[in-house]
Amino acid sequence: MRLAIGAGAPARAALGLDDWLRGADTPLAVAAHPSGALVALARGCALAVLPVLPGGGGERKRSGAGGAPAREGQHQVTALAWFVQLRPARSGSARSSPSPRQSPRLRQQAPAPWQGGGGASPLPSPRADAQQRPRAALDVALSLAECEVLLSGTAAGHLQLHSADGSLLFRQRLGPGPVLDILVRPHCSGLCSSDAGEEVCVTFAGALVRISTLDLRAQMRMLQLAQLASSAAAAAGIGPLPHVRYELPASVGPRMSGLSFGLLPVDLYALLSSSAGSSSGGPATALGARPGRAKVSIITVGRGPCVAAFEAEERPHRGALAALVGMASSLTTSVVGVASKAAGLGPSVVYHGVKSLMRPLSWYYGAGGVAGAQGGGGSGGGGGGGGGGGGGGAAQVAAVAFDDLAALPKPEPLTLARQLRDDDRVLEVLVPAPAGALLVAPDNLGRVLLLDGASAVALRIWKGYRDAQCGWLLPPPGHPAAPLGVLLVLFAPKRQVLEVWLPRAGQRLASRPVPYPCLLLPVGPPCGGWGNAPGVRGWQEGCGGATTLVLNVATGELWDAMDCLLAEAED
C-alpha cells in the first residue's frame, strides 16, 4: 500500500514533509480512518486527506476524496482524529455486539498458535495477503458508515469539523490555548461493559472538553442539510456544538492528553446507601445508585503529575439531539391545540396555525433550499463563501463559525481521585487500546508505560524506547492471533525496530527492522457498535479489526503491523 506523498507529489510540497524530515519545528499531525482506507495529514495550516492506494495498482476513486490537493486553512492544525458512526442495524434480533472484553484477560497470557500448542491451523502467507491490499474497501466503509467526520484542533483553540474529503464545515472555539489532543472513545472502550456511551475528548493544557457522539451526529446532520440546501439561512440556523468543559485544579500541572472512560461502576457505598434508602422508602434507581450521583472517570497525562485520574459528576445537558426532540414535542403540542380550536372556529384557523408552526423549519424550505437540493440550481441565497460547489452546480456554503469565548458554558468541577507523581517524568501522548481499559504512554526518559484506566496504575514499564511510538492490534475473529486479545505495538526509532508484545504478560511475539523514518497510524474501531451486531460483523469482515499502519514518510509506502505476526510464523 502507499500514499501519494512521494517525491514530486503535490501534497508532499504543500505539507512540507521534506522540511519535517530535516527536523523543522512545525509538527506533523496524522490520523487514519477506522476503515484504513483514508489517511489525513496536517502540518501548519495545510490539511490533506489521501486515499490508501494498492501497492502496484491504480488509484481507487472516491467521490470527493480522490487525492485532492492539500487545503490551506486559517489556523495551524495541531491535532487530528476521525469519527465514524456505523449505520444502525435493521434487524432487532441482536441486542449486543460481540466485544473483545467478553474474553477473559488470562487469554492474553496463552501461547501463540505458532509457538507450540497442537492443532493450530496453518497461517496464510503475508506475500499472498499483500495482494489483497488495501486492507479495507472504500465501498464497504461507505455502505456501513452513517456519519464520517474528520476532527481537527487548532493552535487558537478551535475544534473544526470536516467532511471526509477535508472540506471545512464547522469551527467552534472551545478554549484560549491550543488543542493538544483529540481522542474518540467507542463503546467497546471503558470501565463498564454496560455503558453504551461514546464521546470525543478534546484536551487543552488546563482544561478538558467532552462531546457526546449523539450531539456530534446531530450537528453533522444539520450541517449536511445546510450544504445540501446551499442556503445561508440554513447555516444561520445552526447553533454551537453542545459540550461539557472541565477546568483542571490549580494543583495539577499542564495536561498533554486525556480520555474519558465513561461512567464509573457503582461502588459498595452507593449500593449500601441505595439499599438503605429503598428500605426506608427513599428514592433509589435500578442501577443501585442515587439519582444524580453518577460519575465519570477521566484519565489524563502530562507533567506534575505525569498521570492524573479525575472524577466528575455526570450532569444532564441540553444537547442538539435534545433540542430537536424538544422542537418535535412543541410542534406536536401546538398542532393538537390548533386542531382543537379549529373545531369551533372554522378551517381558516387551521391554515394560519399550521403556517405559523412551520416557521421554525423555514430555513430549509426557504432561500432555494429544496430547489437546490432537488434541482441543483441557485446560489443558495448568497450564503456561499466557499470554493467550488458540490453536486448539481450549487455553490458551497461557507463554514459555520463560533469564535466567542464568552459564550462558552460554565466549566464543571473536577476532583483529583488518583495520581502517579514523578516530577522528572513527562507523558506527552496517550494511546488507548481499541477494547478494554488499557492505555500506553511514552515518556521523555526513554520509557513506555502501560496503564490501567480503572486504577491509573502503571502495570508495566518498557525501557530503552526513547522517542517511542505506540499502537495496538486487535485481530478480527478467525485470525490465528484472535485468542490473544489486544496486542501492543512499539516502535523504537533509535534502534530502528518495530515490536509486537503481549501487554500484560510482557512477552514479545514478533519484531521487524524498520530502517527508515516512519509514523505509526493507529486504526481504531468505529462508533455505533452497541446493539448493532450485524454492523460490527460486516465492518470486521470488510474492513478488518483494529490495527496499526506503518507509514514511510520518505516514500509514502504503507504496511500493516499485523503482518509482523504472519512473517514471524513463516520464519
Side-chain angles (χ1 to χ4, degrees), residues 156-158 172-177 204 245 402-409:
H158 296 92
Q172 181 174 347
R173 196 175 185 188
L174 301 179
F204 296 85
R245 178 183 173 87
F402 294 93
D403 296 330
D404 188 10
L405 288 177
L408 291 178

Side-chain angles (χ1 to χ4, degrees), residues 60-102:
R60 305 170 65 178
K61 294 294 183 181
R62 173 183 180 162
S63 175
R71 304 174 184 267
E72 290 288 341
Q74 301 178 358
H75 304 278
Q76 178 183 348
V77 177
T78 56
L80 288 175
W82 284 94
F83 165 70
V84 175
Q85 178 78 22
L86 290 177
R87 296 184 184 276
R90 297 182 180 273
S91 173
S93 58
R95 298 304 302 166
S96 62
S97 60
S99 174
R101 290 187 293 170
Q102 296 174 358

Side-chain angles (χ1 to χ4, degrees), residues 483-517:
L484 301 177
V486 291
L487 304 175
L488 177 62
V489 179
L490 297 180
F491 172 60
K494 302 297 183 180
R495 295 188 284 119
Q496 296 184 340
V497 62
L498 184 137
E499 300 170 341
V500 180
W501 290 77
L502 280 172
R504 289 183 177 272
Q507 178 184 0
R508 187 175 63 180
L509 299 179
S511 63
R512 176 173 176 175
V514 185
Y516 45 79

Side-chain angles (χ1 to χ4, degrees), residues 365-555:
Y365 294 95
V370 176
Q374 296 179 354
S379 60
Q396 184 178 0
V397 180
V400 181
F402 294 93
D403 296 330
D404 188 10
L405 288 177
L408 291 178
K410 181 180 178 181
E412 300 286 345
L414 278 178
T415 302
L416 181 61
R418 294 168 299 277
Q419 61 178 322
L420 176 61
R421 181 167 292 276
D422 187 350
D423 296 337
D424 295 332
R425 191 183 306 273
V426 179
L427 302 181
E428 297 182 353
V429 65
L430 194 63
V431 184
L438 291 180
L439 308 105
V440 65
D443 63 10
N444 61 328
L445 304 177
R447 271 75 167 170
V448 176
L449 279 70
L450 178 68
L451 304 174
D452 181 17
S455 59
V457 173
L459 303 177
R460 188 170 294 275
I461 298 180
W462 285 267
K463 299 181 180 180
Y465 292 84
R466 189 168 297 277
D467 300 330
Q469 300 180 39
C470 307
W472 294 92
L473 301 178
L474 184 58
H479 192 278
L484 301 177
V486 291
L487 304 175
L488 177 62
V489 179
L490 297 180
F491 172 60
K494 302 297 183 180
R495 295 188 284 119
Q496 296 184 340
V497 62
L498 184 137
E499 300 170 341
V500 180
W501 290 77
L502 280 172
R504 289 183 177 272
Q507 178 184 0
R508 187 175 63 180
L509 299 179
S511 63
R512 176 173 176 175
V514 185
Y516 45 79
C518 71
L519 291 174
L520 298 190
L521 310 181
V523 180
C527 295
W530 178 263
N532 190 8
V536 174
R537 190 180 305 110
W539 187 274
Q540 291 177 346
E541 294 175 355
C543 303
T547 185
T548 298
L549 301 179
V550 184
L551 172 62
N552 186 345
V553 185
T555 63

Side-chain angles (χ1 to χ4, degrees), residues 105-377:
R105 293 183 177 179
L106 295 179
R107 283 187 176 184
Q108 295 185 355
Q109 300 181 4
W114 56 85
Q115 295 177 347
S121 58
L123 297 176
S125 170
R127 298 181 180 87
D129 186 62
Q131 303 299 325
Q132 303 175 5
R133 301 302 198 216
R135 58 183 292 272
L138 286 176
D139 53 353
V140 174
L142 284 174
S143 63
L144 295 177
E146 178 188 43
C147 177
E148 295 177 290
V149 186
L150 175 61
L151 307 170
S152 67
T154 70
H158 296 92
L159 177 67
Q160 302 182 141
L161 308 184
H162 305 261
S163 61
D165 63 349
S167 301
L168 180 61
L169 304 178
F170 181 83
R171 181 176 67 244
Q172 181 174 347
R173 196 175 185 188
L174 301 179
V179 174
L180 301 180
D181 197 11
I182 302 175
L183 293 177
V184 180
R185 182 183 69 86
H187 84 282
C188 53
S189 296
L191 303 180
C192 294
S193 58
S194 59
D195 183 12
E198 298 172 325
E199 53 195 5
V200 177
C201 281
V202 183
T203 305
F204 296 85
L208 189 133
V209 174
R210 290 174 56 220
I211 302 171
S212 172
T213 57
L214 295 177
D215 295 333
L216 187 58
R217 288 169 55 195
Q219 191 82 355
M220 280 300 299
R221 184 57 179 168
M222 291 187 289
L223 291 171
Q224 290 170 354
L225 287 176
Q227 292 291 328
L228 184 65
S230 300
S231 170
I238 299 177
L241 179 62
H243 62 276
V244 181
R245 178 183 173 87
Y246 300 98
E247 292 287 349
L248 298 179
S251 60
V252 177
R255 302 291 89 192
M256 301 294 183
S257 181
L259 178 66
S260 171
F261 269 103
L263 296 177
L264 284 169
V266 181
D267 56 8
L268 180 60
Y269 176 78
L271 288 174
L272 295 177
S273 301
S274 176
S275 177
S278 60
S279 61
S280 61
T285 64
L287 294 179
R290 294 180 179 178
R293 294 294 185 181
K295 292 185 177 182
V296 295
S297 175
I298 301 175
I299 306 296
T300 64
V301 296
R303 177 194 301 272
C306 58
V307 180
F310 300 94
E311 293 181 359
E313 288 191 6
E314 181 74 334
R315 302 178 185 272
H317 66 284
R318 185 172 178 84
L321 186 61
L324 292 177
V325 174
M327 179 185 295
S329 178
S330 300
L331 288 175
T332 303
T333 305
S334 301
V335 167
V336 173
V338 169
S340 62
K341 292 180 180 179
L345 300 178
S348 61
V349 178
V350 177
Y351 170 76
H352 294 288
V354 172
K355 185 176 180 180
S356 63
L357 292 177
M358 294 303 295
R359 288 174 183 172
L361 303 179
S362 61
W363 62 268
Y364 179 68
Y365 294 95
V370 176
Q374 296 179 354

